[in-house]
Structures are given as structure tokens and as C-alpha cells.
Amino acid sequence: MPAVTVVITCYNYGHFLADCLESVLNQTFQGFEIILIDDGSTDHTADVAARYSGDPRLKYIRQANQGQARAKNRGIQNARGGLVAFLDADDLWESEKLEKQVALFGDDQVGVVYSRARYIDAHGADLNRAIESFGVHLTPRRGHVLPYMLFDNFVPFSSAMVRRDLLGQGFNEELKMAIDWEMWLYLSLDWKFDFVDESLITYRMGHSGQMSHNVDERFRCADGILEQFLKNHTHRLEKGFINDLFAHKYYLRWIYYFEREPSRAREFLKKAVGYKVDPLLIVKTLARRWLGPFRAKV
């Protein structure tokens, strides 16, 4: 019986899949099985998977396209390991990823273990500096992380390992996006999180087919998740926390739409100010925007 089930979901990522699989098969910790869910790919994903058909560690399941939540849940339903590690087919693991994370489950109050990530674009160029610019709310946290998780999802999905018994019915199949953030929020109510302070995964961003391109849909899903969560669990939060949370939320929306849709950005800025966002944040943001082109010329 494997200690860890690795759930890999793939939709038209056949060109990434072999490298992804190799990064798992070459782990220093070998007590795992792989459940590969092909969510109705129309590319050569099946051909790539067929190359590994002789490996007893891998179980390949093909289904009609049903979306990421159902694909991941299919993997969970087939899992035999006491721990489930998630990996998207366009990402990669470092060879010691499983070994270092399994060791942290010695604390029986820890429900989720993750790691830092190395971010790259479609061509392999480093994006870490750009990601770090999003600020303190993406800083990894350990212990009881609920207040921090509400501000932002700082768990890179392909780094996450979870006790299988905590996954219940799996991810919310009504959501198109942000399914992991919702899961982490509810787990952080009662379980501790821990992390390996190393970049144990390589996370690809910005390539074609990636769902995160649809930012408006991501915002819509995130708003629905937050609204429902606060409706049920506001009593678990300190007084004044909600105000800071919404100030931060609308401040980030303002930044995102600043150049894309200025009129929309102004509406978000008004909301952020209404929740008493730190004025210094606004000044610093505007300074970076205005001084950026000047610095480039100098």
C-alpha cells in the first residue's frame, strides 16, 4: 500500500506530461502511486501516457472533459495512500519533494504541507521577482494560517500534500476556478499547515491553455468563496479583521485594472479607500507606476 498518492490531472498538456511524470518517478521517496487523470485531452496526452503503461506505479484514467475539479476528485476517489499530493501536468517537482514533505506529517495536527515554488514562463524564463512583487500576503505561513489564507492563497497548488481523510467529498465541482483556495480555507479552520522552506516545485505560468488567464472569472469565483465563508465563519475572526481584508482585496483589484480598465480601477480604489486602505500603499504604487518609465530611460 503506497504512503502517498500523487494525483496528476492533464488536459491537452501532452507536451509537458513526460517531464512532469519523470519528476515524480525519480523521487528519492519511492512509496507512492500515481493516478493520472486525462480530462478528455484532444492532443497526444494518451500517447505520452502509453509510454509508461508498463510501470506499476502509474494508473492512467481517461474521462470525457469535465473540468479540473471533477478530474482532481476522480484522482482522490482512486487514491490508496494516506497522503495525497497534487500536481498539474505542466509543473515539475524537485527530486526530494516527497521525502521532505512526508517528514512533516509527524505532527498529527498538521493537515497540509506545501513548499515554496520556482516560477517560470512558457519559455522557461524566471518569474520569481515578478511574483514576489505581489507582497507580504504571499509569504509562506505555518501553524494556524486562517487569517493569512483569507488575504491570499500562498500555497502553490502543485506543492500541496494533504491527509486523504481530510479531503472528504473533494473539491467544489460548482466552481470553475480557485477550487484549491476554498479547500485550504476550510481546512485551515481546524488543521495546521506546514511548509518546506525551499523551492521544491517548478510552476509554469502564462502559457496557452492555462485557466488563470481568465482573471474576471477568477475574481468572480473568489468573491463567491469569500462571501460564503464569511457568512458561516465570521465569528472565528478578530474584530476589525474584515475591514482590513476588504481594503486589501479592493486595493489589489485597483492595481490589476489600473492600466487595463482605468474607469473600473477607479471604482475599486474608491472601495479600498472606503475600507480605509493604508494611504501609503496607494502612494507607493503610484510612484512605482510613474517612476518606472523614467528609471528605464535613465
Side-chain angles (χ1 to χ4, degrees):
M1 190 68 68
V4 180
T5 295
V6 180
V7 173
I8 301 176
T9 55
C10 185
Y11 177 67
N12 288 342
Y13 281 165
H15 51 302
F16 295 129
L17 182 57
D19 287 342
C20 172
L21 288 172
E22 291 292 338
S23 76
V24 179
L25 295 172
N26 293 320
Q27 289 290 302
T28 55
F29 178 91
Q30 284 288 305
F32 65 82
E33 65 175 352
I34 301 172
I35 308 294
L36 171 59
I37 308 297
D38 180 351
D39 191 33
S41 297
T42 57
D43 64 356
H44 63 297
T45 290
D47 296 331
V48 176
R51 300 178 203 164
Y52 298 87
S53 60
D55 194 318
R57 295 171 291 179
L58 186 145
K59 180 177 182 180
Y60 172 67
I61 300 173
R62 180 174 171 82
Q63 64 181 28
N65 182 249
Q66 299 178 53
Q68 60 165 341
R70 290 188 179 181
K72 289 172 172 55
N73 288 344
R74 185 82 179 273
I76 294 169
Q77 291 158 11
N78 282 271
R80 296 182 297 154
L83 301 170
V84 177
F86 295 100
L87 176 59
D88 287 334
D90 53 336
D91 298 331
L92 305 167
W93 284 352
E94 296 299 314
S95 63
E96 296 182 331
K97 194 262 188 192
L98 291 181
E99 179 182 354
K100 291 183 175 181
Q101 288 188 302
V102 168
L104 295 181
F105 282 96
D107 181 345
D108 60 10
Q109 295 301 307
V110 170
V112 180
V113 172
Y114 62 104
S115 76
R116 291 184 183 271
R118 172 178 171 254
Y119 296 91
I120 61 173
D121 67 13
H123 307 291
D126 186 87
L127 292 175
N128 272 21
R129 182 172 296 179
I131 297 299
E132 290 167 0
S133 69
F134 283 106
V136 67
H137 294 293
L138 287 179
T139 301
R141 308 283 181 173
R142 58 169 49 95
H144 296 288
V145 303
L146 175 60
Y148 308 104
M149 184 61 68
L150 279 164
F151 273 90
D152 217 329
N153 183 3
F154 48 80
V155 176
F157 181 73
S158 287
S159 79
M161 184 182 291
V162 187
R163 294 185 188 274
R164 186 184 62 178
D165 292 346
L166 303 186
L167 291 171
Q169 299 300 310
F171 295 98
N172 185 346
E173 296 181 0
E174 300 297 317
L175 292 172
K176 291 185 178 179
M177 306 178 77
I179 61 173
D180 54 332
W181 185 50
E182 184 190 55
M183 178 71 77
W184 310 150
L185 281 175
Y186 283 95
L187 289 181
S188 66
L189 283 167
D190 301 305
W191 292 87
K192 293 195 296 186
F193 283 47
D194 206 346
F195 71 96
V196 179
D197 197 11
E198 299 177 44
S199 297
L200 296 180
I201 74 165
T202 298
Y203 190 102
R204 299 183 199 268
M205 301 183 67
H207 54 81
S208 61
Q210 202 167 40
M211 290 190 68
S212 56
H213 288 307
N214 191 346
V215 176
D216 285 335
E217 178 65 19
R218 177 170 288 277
F219 286 160
R220 187 190 69 79
C221 289
D223 289 346
I225 292 168
L226 184 60
E227 179 182 356
Q228 187 62 40
F229 187 88
L230 293 178
K231 179 180 177 180
N232 297 326
H233 300 290
T234 300
H235 64 284
R236 299 282 295 267
L237 305 171
E238 294 181 7
K239 186 177 180 180
F241 177 84
I242 305 298
N243 191 85
D244 294 340
L245 177 61
F246 278 91
H248 174 71
K249 167 185 166 180
Y250 291 125
Y251 164 73
L252 290 184
R253 301 282 173 93
W254 169 61
I255 291 176
Y256 179 78
Y257 288 109
F258 187 85
E259 294 178 349
R260 294 173 176 86
E261 298 181 44
S263 61
R264 197 171 180 183
R266 285 192 291 273
E267 292 302 314
F268 285 123
L269 180 58
K270 290 178 183 177
K271 291 181 178 181
V273 171
Y275 281 101
K276 296 181 172 56
V277 68
D278 184 353
L280 187 58
L281 277 177
I282 297 173
V283 172
K284 287 181 176 179
T285 301
L286 290 173
R288 285 196 299 268
R289 297 281 182 175
W290 291 333
L291 292 177
F294 173 76
R295 287 177 178 172
K297 291 178 182 179
V298 173

